[in-house]
Coordinates of all heavy atoms in Angstrom, one line a residue:
R91 N 18.3 57.4 -169.2 CA 17.6 58.5 -168.6 C 16.6 59.1 -169.6 O 15.4 59.1 -169.4 CB 18.6 59.6 -168.1 CG 19.3 59.2 -166.9 CD 20.0 60.4 -166.3 NE 20.3 60.1 -164.9 CZ 20.8 61.1 -164.0 NH1 21.1 62.3 -164.5 NH2 21.0 60.7 -162.8
S92 N 17.1 59.7 -170.7 CA 16.2 60.3 -171.7 C 15.3 59.3 -172.4 O 14.1 59.6 -172.7 CB 17.0 61.1 -172.7 OG 17.9 60.2 -173.4
S93 N 15.8 58.1 -172.6 CA 15.1 57.0 -173.3 C 13.9 56.6 -172.5 O 12.9 56.1 -173.1 CB 16.0 55.9 -173.7 OG 17.0 56.3 -174.5
L94 N 14.0 56.6 -171.2 CA 12.8 56.1 -170.4 C 12.0 57.3 -169.8 O 10.8 57.2 -169.7 CB 13.4 55.4 -169.1 CG 14.0 54.0 -169.5 CD1 14.6 53.4 -168.2 CD2 13.1 53.1 -170.1
A95 N 12.7 58.5 -169.6 CA 12.0 59.7 -169.0 C 11.1 60.2 -170.1 O 9.9 60.7 -169.8 CB 13.0 60.7 -168.6
G96 N 11.5 60.3 -171.4 CA 10.6 60.8 -172.4 C 9.3 60.1 -172.6 O 8.2 60.7 -172.5
P97 N 9.3 58.8 -172.8 CA 8.1 58.0 -172.9 C 7.2 58.2 -171.6 O 6.0 58.2 -171.7 CB 8.5 56.6 -173.1 CG 9.8 56.7 -173.7 CD 10.5 58.0 -173.1
L98 N 7.9 58.2 -170.4 CA 7.2 58.4 -169.2 C 6.4 59.7 -169.1 O 5.2 59.7 -168.7 CB 8.1 58.3 -168.0 CG 7.5 58.5 -166.6 CD1 6.5 57.3 -166.3 CD2 8.6 58.5 -165.5
L99 N 7.0 60.7 -169.6 CA 6.3 62.1 -169.6 C 5.2 62.0 -170.6 O 4.1 62.5 -170.4 CB 7.3 63.1 -170.0 CG 8.3 63.5 -169.0 CD1 9.3 64.5 -169.5 CD2 7.7 64.1 -167.7
V100 N 5.3 61.3 -171.8 CA 4.3 61.2 -172.8 C 3.1 60.5 -172.1 O 1.9 60.9 -172.3 CB 4.8 60.4 -174.0 CG1 3.6 60.1 -174.9 CG2 5.8 61.3 -174.8
V101 N 3.4 59.4 -171.4 CA 2.3 58.5 -170.9 C 1.5 59.3 -169.8 O 0.3 59.3 -169.7 CB 2.9 57.2 -170.3 CG1 1.8 56.5 -169.5 CG2 3.4 56.3 -171.4
V102 N 2.3 60.0 -168.9 CA 1.6 60.7 -167.8 C 0.8 61.8 -168.3 O -0.4 62.0 -167.9 CB 2.8 61.3 -166.9 CG1 2.1 62.3 -165.9 CG2 3.5 60.2 -166.1
L103 N 1.3 62.6 -169.3 CA 0.5 63.7 -169.9 C -0.8 63.2 -170.6 O -1.9 63.7 -170.4 CB 1.4 64.6 -170.8 CG 2.4 65.4 -170.2 CD1 3.3 66.1 -171.3 CD2 1.9 66.5 -169.2
A104 N -0.5 62.2 -171.4 CA -1.6 61.6 -172.2 C -2.6 60.9 -171.4 O -3.9 61.1 -171.6 CB -1.1 60.6 -173.2
T105 N -2.2 60.3 -170.3 CA -3.2 59.6 -169.4 C -4.0 60.6 -168.6 O -5.2 60.5 -168.4 CB -2.4 58.7 -168.4 OG1 -1.7 57.7 -169.1 CG2 -3.3 58.0 -167.4
V106 N -3.3 61.7 -168.0 CA -4.1 62.6 -167.3 C -5.1 63.3 -168.1 O -6.3 63.5 -167.8 CB -3.1 63.7 -166.7 CG1 -3.8 64.8 -166.1 CG2 -2.2 63.0 -165.6
L107 N -4.7 63.8 -169.3 CA -5.6 64.5 -170.2 C -6.7 63.5 -170.7 O -7.9 63.9 -170.7 CB -4.8 65.0 -171.4 CG -4.0 66.2 -171.2 CD1 -3.2 66.6 -172.4 CD2 -4.7 67.4 -170.7
G108 N -6.3 62.3 -171.1 CA -7.3 61.4 -171.5 C -8.3 61.0 -170.5 O -9.5 60.9 -170.8
V109 N -7.9 60.8 -169.3 CA -8.8 60.4 -168.2 C -9.8 61.5 -167.9 O -11.0 61.3 -167.7 CB -8.0 59.9 -167.0 CG1 -9.0 59.8 -165.8 CG2 -7.3 58.6 -167.2
V110 N -9.2 62.7 -167.8 CA -10.1 63.9 -167.5 C -11.1 64.1 -168.5 O -12.4 64.3 -168.3 CB -9.2 65.2 -167.3 CG1 -10.2 66.4 -167.2 CG2 -8.4 65.1 -166.1
I111 N -10.7 64.0 -169.8 CA -11.6 64.2 -170.9 C -12.7 63.1 -171.0 O -13.9 63.3 -171.2 CB -10.9 64.3 -172.3 CG1 -10.1 65.5 -172.4 CG2 -11.9 64.2 -173.4 CD1 -9.1 65.6 -173.5
A112 N -12.3 61.9 -170.8 CA -13.1 60.7 -170.9 C -14.1 60.7 -169.7 O -15.4 60.5 -170.0 CB -12.3 59.4 -170.8
V113 N -13.7 60.9 -168.6 CA -14.6 60.9 -167.4 C -15.6 62.1 -167.5 O -16.9 61.9 -167.2 CB -13.9 61.0 -166.1 CG1 -14.8 61.2 -164.9 CG2 -13.0 59.7 -165.9
A114 N -15.2 63.3 -167.9 CA -16.1 64.4 -168.0 C -17.1 64.2 -169.1 O -18.3 64.5 -169.0 CB -15.3 65.7 -168.3
S115 N -16.6 63.6 -170.2 CA -17.6 63.3 -171.3 C -18.6 62.3 -170.9 O -19.8 62.4 -171.2 CB -16.7 62.8 -172.5 OG -17.6 62.4 -173.6
A116 N -18.1 61.2 -170.3 CA -19.1 60.1 -169.9 C -20.0 60.6 -168.8 O -21.2 60.2 -168.8 CB -18.3 58.9 -169.4
W117 N -19.6 61.5 -167.9 CA -20.5 61.9 -166.8 C -21.5 62.9 -167.3 O -22.6 62.8 -166.9 CB -19.6 62.5 -165.7 CG -20.4 62.9 -164.5 CD1 -20.9 64.2 -164.1 CD2 -20.8 62.0 -163.4 NE1 -21.6 64.1 -163.0 CE2 -21.6 62.8 -162.5 CE3 -20.6 60.7 -163.2 CZ2 -22.1 62.3 -161.4 CZ3 -21.2 60.1 -162.0 CH2 -21.9 60.9 -161.1
R118 N -21.0 63.9 -168.1 CA -22.0 64.9 -168.5 C -22.9 64.4 -169.7 O -24.1 64.8 -169.7 CB -21.2 66.2 -169.0 CG -20.3 66.8 -168.0 CD -21.1 67.3 -166.8 NE -22.0 68.4 -167.1 CZ -22.8 69.0 -166.3 NH1 -22.8 68.7 -165.0 NH2 -23.6 70.0 -166.7
G119 N -22.3 63.7 -170.6 CA -23.1 63.2 -171.7 C -23.6 64.3 -172.6 O -23.1 65.4 -172.6
G120 N -24.7 64.0 -173.4 CA -25.2 65.1 -174.2 C -24.3 65.6 -175.2 O -23.5 64.9 -175.9
W121 N -24.4 66.9 -175.5 CA -23.7 67.6 -176.5 C -22.1 67.5 -176.2 O -21.3 67.5 -177.1 CB -24.1 69.1 -176.6 CG -23.8 69.9 -175.4 CD1 -24.6 70.1 -174.4 CD2 -22.6 70.6 -175.1 NE1 -23.9 71.0 -173.4 CE2 -22.7 71.2 -173.9 CE3 -21.3 70.8 -175.8 CZ2 -21.7 72.0 -173.3 CZ3 -20.3 71.5 -175.3 CH2 -20.5 72.2 -174.0
L122 N -21.8 67.5 -174.9 CA -20.3 67.5 -174.6 C -19.7 66.2 -175.0 O -18.7 66.1 -175.6 CB -20.1 67.7 -173.1 CG -18.7 67.6 -172.6 CD1 -17.8 68.7 -173.2 CD2 -18.6 67.7 -171.1
D123 N -20.5 65.1 -174.7 CA -20.0 63.8 -175.2 C -19.9 63.7 -176.7 O -18.9 63.1 -177.2 CB -20.9 62.7 -174.6 CG -20.4 61.3 -174.8 OD1 -19.2 61.1 -174.7 OD2 -21.2 60.4 -175.1
A124 N -20.9 64.2 -177.4 CA -20.9 64.2 -178.9 C -19.6 65.0 -179.4 O -19.0 64.5 -180.4 CB -22.2 64.8 -179.4
V125 N -19.4 66.2 -178.9 CA -18.3 67.0 -179.3 C -17.0 66.3 -179.1 O -16.1 66.3 -179.9 CB -18.3 68.4 -178.7 CG1 -17.1 69.2 -179.0 CG2 -19.6 69.2 -179.2
V126 N -16.8 65.8 -177.9 CA -15.5 65.1 -177.5 C -15.4 63.8 -178.4 O -14.2 63.6 -178.9 CB -15.6 64.7 -176.0 CG1 -14.5 63.7 -175.7 CG2 -15.5 65.8 -175.1
S127 N -16.4 63.1 -178.7 CA -16.3 62.0 -179.6 C -15.8 62.3 -181.0 O -14.9 61.7 -181.5 CB -17.6 61.2 -179.6 OG -17.9 60.7 -178.4
R128 N -16.3 63.4 -181.5 CA -15.9 63.9 -182.8 C -14.5 64.4 -182.8 O -13.7 64.1 -183.8 CB -16.9 65.0 -183.3 CG -18.3 64.6 -183.4 CD -18.6 63.6 -184.5 NE -18.3 62.2 -184.1 CZ -19.1 61.5 -183.3 NH1 -20.2 62.0 -182.8 NH2 -18.8 60.3 -183.0
C129 N -14.1 65.1 -181.8 CA -12.7 65.6 -181.6 C -11.7 64.4 -181.6 O -10.7 64.5 -182.2 CB -12.5 66.5 -180.5 SG -13.4 68.1 -180.6
L130 N -12.1 63.4 -180.8 CA -11.2 62.2 -180.7 C -11.1 61.5 -182.1 O -10.0 61.0 -182.4 CB -11.7 61.2 -179.7 CG -11.7 61.7 -178.2 CD1 -12.3 60.7 -177.3 CD2 -10.3 62.1 -177.8
D131 N -12.2 61.5 -182.8 CA -12.1 60.9 -184.1 C -11.2 61.6 -185.1 O -10.5 61.0 -185.9 CB -13.5 60.8 -184.8 CG -14.4 59.8 -184.0 OD1 -13.9 58.9 -183.4 OD2 -15.7 60.0 -184.2
V132 N -11.2 62.9 -185.0 CA -10.3 63.8 -185.8 C -8.8 63.5 -185.4 O -8.0 63.3 -186.3 CB -10.6 65.2 -185.6 CG1 -9.5 66.1 -186.3 CG2 -12.0 65.6 -186.2
L133 N -8.5 63.4 -184.1 CA -7.2 63.1 -183.6 C -6.7 61.7 -184.1 O -5.5 61.5 -184.3 CB -7.1 63.3 -182.1 CG -7.1 64.7 -181.6 CD1 -7.1 64.8 -180.1 CD2 -5.9 65.5 -182.1
F134 N -7.6 60.8 -184.2 CA -7.3 59.5 -184.6 C -6.7 59.4 -186.0 O -5.9 58.5 -186.4 CB -8.5 58.5 -184.6 CG -8.6 57.7 -183.3 CD1 -9.6 58.0 -182.4 CD2 -7.6 56.8 -182.9 CE1 -9.8 57.3 -181.2 CE2 -7.8 56.1 -181.7 CZ -8.8 56.3 -180.9
A135 N -7.0 60.5 -186.8 CA -6.6 60.5 -188.2 C -5.1 60.9 -188.4 O -4.6 60.7 -189.5 CB -7.5 61.5 -189.0
F136 N -4.5 61.4 -187.3 CA -3.1 61.8 -187.4 C -2.2 60.8 -186.7 O -2.3 60.7 -185.5 CB -3.0 63.2 -186.8 CG -3.7 64.3 -187.5 CD1 -5.0 64.7 -187.2 CD2 -3.0 65.0 -188.6 CE1 -5.6 65.7 -187.9 CE2 -3.6 66.0 -189.3 CZ -4.9 66.3 -189.0
P137 N -1.4 60.2 -187.4 CA -0.4 59.3 -186.7 C 0.5 60.1 -185.8 O 0.9 61.2 -186.0 CB 0.5 58.7 -187.9 CG -0.4 58.9 -189.1 CD -1.2 60.1 -188.8
G138 N 0.9 59.5 -184.7 CA 1.7 60.2 -183.6 C 2.9 60.8 -184.1 O 3.3 61.9 -183.9
V139 N 3.7 60.0 -184.9 CA 5.0 60.4 -185.4 C 4.9 61.6 -186.3 O 5.6 62.6 -186.3 CB 5.8 59.2 -186.0 CG1 7.1 59.7 -186.7 CG2 6.1 58.2 -185.0
L140 N 3.8 61.4 -187.2 CA 3.6 62.5 -188.2 C 3.3 63.8 -187.5 O 3.7 64.9 -187.8 CB 2.5 62.1 -189.2 CG 2.1 63.2 -190.2 CD1 3.3 63.5 -191.1 CD2 0.9 62.6 -191.1
L141 N 2.4 63.7 -186.5 CA 2.0 64.9 -185.7 C 3.2 65.6 -185.1 O 3.3 66.8 -185.0 CB 0.9 64.6 -184.7 CG 0.4 65.7 -183.8 CD1 -0.2 66.9 -184.7 CD2 -0.6 65.2 -182.8
A142 N 4.1 64.7 -184.5 CA 5.2 65.2 -183.8 C 6.2 65.9 -184.8 O 6.7 66.9 -184.5 CB 5.9 64.0 -183.1
I143 N 6.3 65.3 -186.0 CA 7.2 66.0 -187.0 C 6.6 67.3 -187.4 O 7.4 68.3 -187.5 CB 7.3 65.0 -188.2 CG1 8.1 63.8 -187.8 CG2 8.0 65.7 -189.3 CD1 8.2 62.7 -188.9
L144 N 5.3 67.4 -187.6 CA 4.7 68.7 -187.9 C 4.9 69.7 -186.8 O 5.2 70.9 -187.1 CB 3.2 68.5 -188.2 CG 2.9 67.7 -189.4 CD1 1.4 67.5 -189.5 CD2 3.4 68.3 -190.7
V145 N 4.7 69.3 -185.6 CA 4.9 70.2 -184.4 C 6.4 70.7 -184.3 O 6.6 71.8 -184.1 CB 4.5 69.6 -183.1 CG1 4.8 70.5 -181.9 CG2 3.0 69.4 -183.2
V146 N 7.3 69.7 -184.5 CA 8.7 70.0 -184.4 C 9.1 71.0 -185.5 O 9.9 71.9 -185.4 CB 9.6 68.8 -184.5 CG1 11.0 69.1 -184.7 CG2 9.4 68.0 -183.2
A147 N 8.5 70.9 -186.7 CA 8.8 71.7 -187.8 C 8.3 73.2 -187.5 O 8.9 74.1 -187.9 CB 8.1 71.2 -189.1
L148 N 7.3 73.3 -186.7 CA 6.8 74.7 -186.3 C 7.5 75.2 -185.2 O 7.8 76.4 -185.2 CB 5.3 74.5 -186.0 CG 4.3 74.2 -187.2 CD1 2.9 74.0 -186.6 CD2 4.4 75.3 -188.2
F149 N 7.9 74.5 -184.2 CA 8.4 75.0 -183.0 C 9.9 74.6 -182.7 O 10.5 75.1 -181.7 CB 7.6 74.5 -181.7 CG 6.2 74.9 -181.8 CD1 5.2 74.1 -182.2 CD2 5.8 76.2 -181.4 CE1 3.8 74.4 -182.2 CE2 4.5 76.6 -181.4 CZ 3.5 75.7 -181.9
G150 N 10.4 73.8 -183.6 CA 11.9 73.5 -183.4 C 12.1 72.1 -182.8 O 11.3 71.6 -182.1
A151 N 13.3 71.6 -183.1 CA 13.6 70.2 -182.6 C 13.8 70.3 -181.1 O 14.3 71.3 -180.6 CB 14.7 69.7 -183.4
G152 N 13.6 69.1 -180.5 CA 13.8 69.0 -179.0 C 13.0 68.0 -178.4 O 11.9 67.7 -178.9
L153 N 13.4 67.4 -177.3 CA 12.7 66.5 -176.6 C 11.3 67.0 -176.1 O 10.3 66.3 -176.1 CB 13.5 65.9 -175.4 CG 12.8 64.7 -174.6 CD1 12.5 63.5 -175.5 CD2 13.7 64.3 -173.4
T154 N 11.3 68.2 -175.5 CA 10.1 68.8 -174.9 C 9.0 68.9 -176.0 O 7.8 68.5 -175.7 CB 10.4 70.2 -174.3 OG1 11.5 70.0 -173.4 CG2 9.2 70.8 -173.7

Side-chain angles (χ1 to χ4, degrees):
R91 287 191 159 189
S92 61
S93 300
L94 295 176
L98 179 61
L99 290 174
V100 171
V101 170
V102 170
L103 291 174
T105 300
V106 171
L107 290 174
V109 170
V110 170
I111 292 172
V113 172
S115 174
W117 185 264
R118 301 296 297 180
W121 67 268
L122 178 61
D123 188 36
V125 170
V126 168
S127 297
R128 298 295 80 74
C129 291
L130 294 179
D131 290 339
V132 172
L133 286 175
F134 265 115
F136 292 93
V139 174
L140 177 59
L141 178 61
I143 292 175
L144 293 175
V145 172
V146 168
L148 292 174
F149 299 100
L153 181 61
T154 302

